[in-house]
CSV table of all heavy atoms in Angstrom, one decimal:
chain,number,residue,atom,x,y,z
F,927,THR,N,-9.8,8.1,-2.1
F,927,THR,CA,-10.0,9.0,-0.9
F,927,THR,C,-11.4,9.8,-1.3
F,927,THR,O,-12.3,9.9,-0.4
F,927,THR,CB,-9.0,10.0,-0.6
F,927,THR,OG1,-7.9,9.1,-0.1
F,927,THR,CG2,-9.3,10.9,0.7
F,928,TYR,N,-11.2,10.4,-2.4
F,928,TYR,CA,-12.5,11.2,-2.8
F,928,TYR,C,-13.7,10.4,-3.1
F,928,TYR,O,-14.8,11.0,-3.1
F,928,TYR,CB,-12.1,12.1,-4.0
F,928,TYR,CG,-11.2,13.2,-3.7
F,928,TYR,CD1,-10.0,13.5,-4.4
F,928,TYR,CD2,-11.4,14.0,-2.8
F,928,TYR,CE1,-9.1,14.5,-4.2
F,928,TYR,CE2,-10.6,15.2,-2.4
F,928,TYR,CZ,-9.4,15.4,-3.2
F,928,TYR,OH,-8.5,16.3,-2.8
F,929,TYR,N,-13.5,9.2,-3.3
F,929,TYR,CA,-14.7,8.3,-3.3
F,929,TYR,C,-15.1,7.7,-2.0
F,929,TYR,O,-16.3,7.8,-1.6
F,929,TYR,CB,-14.3,7.0,-4.2
F,929,TYR,CG,-15.5,6.0,-4.6
F,929,TYR,CD1,-16.5,6.3,-5.4
F,929,TYR,CD2,-15.6,4.9,-3.7
F,929,TYR,CE1,-17.5,5.4,-5.6
F,929,TYR,CE2,-16.5,4.0,-3.9
F,929,TYR,CZ,-17.5,4.3,-4.9
F,929,TYR,OH,-18.5,3.4,-5.1
F,930,MET,N,-14.1,7.3,-1.2
F,930,MET,CA,-14.6,6.6,0.1
F,930,MET,C,-15.0,7.6,1.2
F,930,MET,O,-16.0,7.3,1.8
F,930,MET,CB,-13.3,5.9,0.6
F,930,MET,CG,-12.9,4.7,-0.4
F,930,MET,SD,-11.6,3.7,0.4
F,930,MET,CE,-10.2,4.8,0.4
F,931,VAL,N,-14.2,8.7,1.3
F,931,VAL,CA,-14.6,9.5,2.5
F,931,VAL,C,-15.9,10.1,2.5
F,931,VAL,O,-16.7,9.9,3.4
F,931,VAL,CB,-13.4,10.6,2.7
F,931,VAL,CG1,-14.0,11.8,3.7
F,931,VAL,CG2,-12.2,9.9,3.1
F,932,PRO,N,-16.4,10.7,1.3
F,932,PRO,CA,-17.9,11.2,1.3
F,932,PRO,C,-18.9,10.2,1.6
F,932,PRO,O,-19.8,10.4,2.3
F,932,PRO,CB,-18.1,11.9,0.0
F,932,PRO,CG,-16.6,11.9,-0.6
F,932,PRO,CD,-15.8,11.0,0.0
F,933,ARG,N,-18.6,8.8,1.0
F,933,ARG,CA,-19.6,7.9,1.2
F,933,ARG,C,-19.6,7.3,2.6
F,933,ARG,O,-20.6,6.7,3.0
F,933,ARG,CB,-19.4,6.8,0.1
F,933,ARG,CG,-19.7,7.3,-1.2
F,933,ARG,CD,-19.3,6.2,-2.3
F,933,ARG,NE,-20.0,5.0,-2.2
F,933,ARG,CZ,-21.3,4.8,-2.7
F,933,ARG,NH1,-21.8,5.8,-3.3
F,933,ARG,NH2,-21.9,3.7,-2.6
F,934,LEU,N,-18.5,7.4,3.3
F,934,LEU,CA,-18.6,6.9,4.7
F,934,LEU,C,-19.0,7.9,5.7
F,934,LEU,O,-19.4,7.6,6.8
F,934,LEU,CB,-17.0,6.4,5.1
F,934,LEU,CG,-16.6,5.1,4.6
F,934,LEU,CD1,-15.1,4.9,4.8
F,934,LEU,CD2,-17.4,3.9,5.0
F,935,CYS,N,-18.8,9.2,5.3
F,935,CYS,CA,-19.3,10.3,6.2
F,935,CYS,C,-20.7,10.7,5.9
F,935,CYS,O,-21.3,11.4,6.8
F,935,CYS,CB,-18.4,11.4,6.1
F,935,CYS,SG,-16.7,11.0,6.5
F,936,GLY,N,-21.2,10.4,4.7
F,936,GLY,CA,-22.6,10.9,4.3
F,936,GLY,C,-22.7,12.3,4.0
F,936,GLY,O,-23.8,12.9,4.0
F,937,VAL,N,-21.6,13.0,3.6
F,937,VAL,CA,-21.6,14.4,3.3
F,937,VAL,C,-20.5,14.5,2.3
F,937,VAL,O,-19.6,13.8,2.0
F,937,VAL,CB,-21.1,15.3,4.5
F,937,VAL,CG1,-22.3,15.4,5.6
F,937,VAL,CG2,-19.8,15.0,5.0
F,938,ARG,N,-20.7,15.6,1.4
F,938,ARG,CA,-19.6,15.7,0.4
F,938,ARG,C,-18.3,16.3,1.0
F,938,ARG,O,-18.3,16.7,2.1
F,938,ARG,CB,-20.2,16.9,-0.6
F,938,ARG,CG,-21.4,16.5,-1.3
F,938,ARG,CD,-21.7,17.5,-2.4
F,938,ARG,NE,-20.9,17.5,-3.7
F,938,ARG,CZ,-21.1,16.7,-4.6
F,938,ARG,NH1,-22.3,16.0,-4.8
F,938,ARG,NH2,-20.3,16.6,-5.7
Side-chain angles (χ1 to χ4, degrees):
Chain F
T927 297
Y928 286 129
Y929 180 80
M930 296 186 293
V931 171
R933 289 173 67 82
L934 283 172
C935 293
V937 293
R938 294 187 78 90

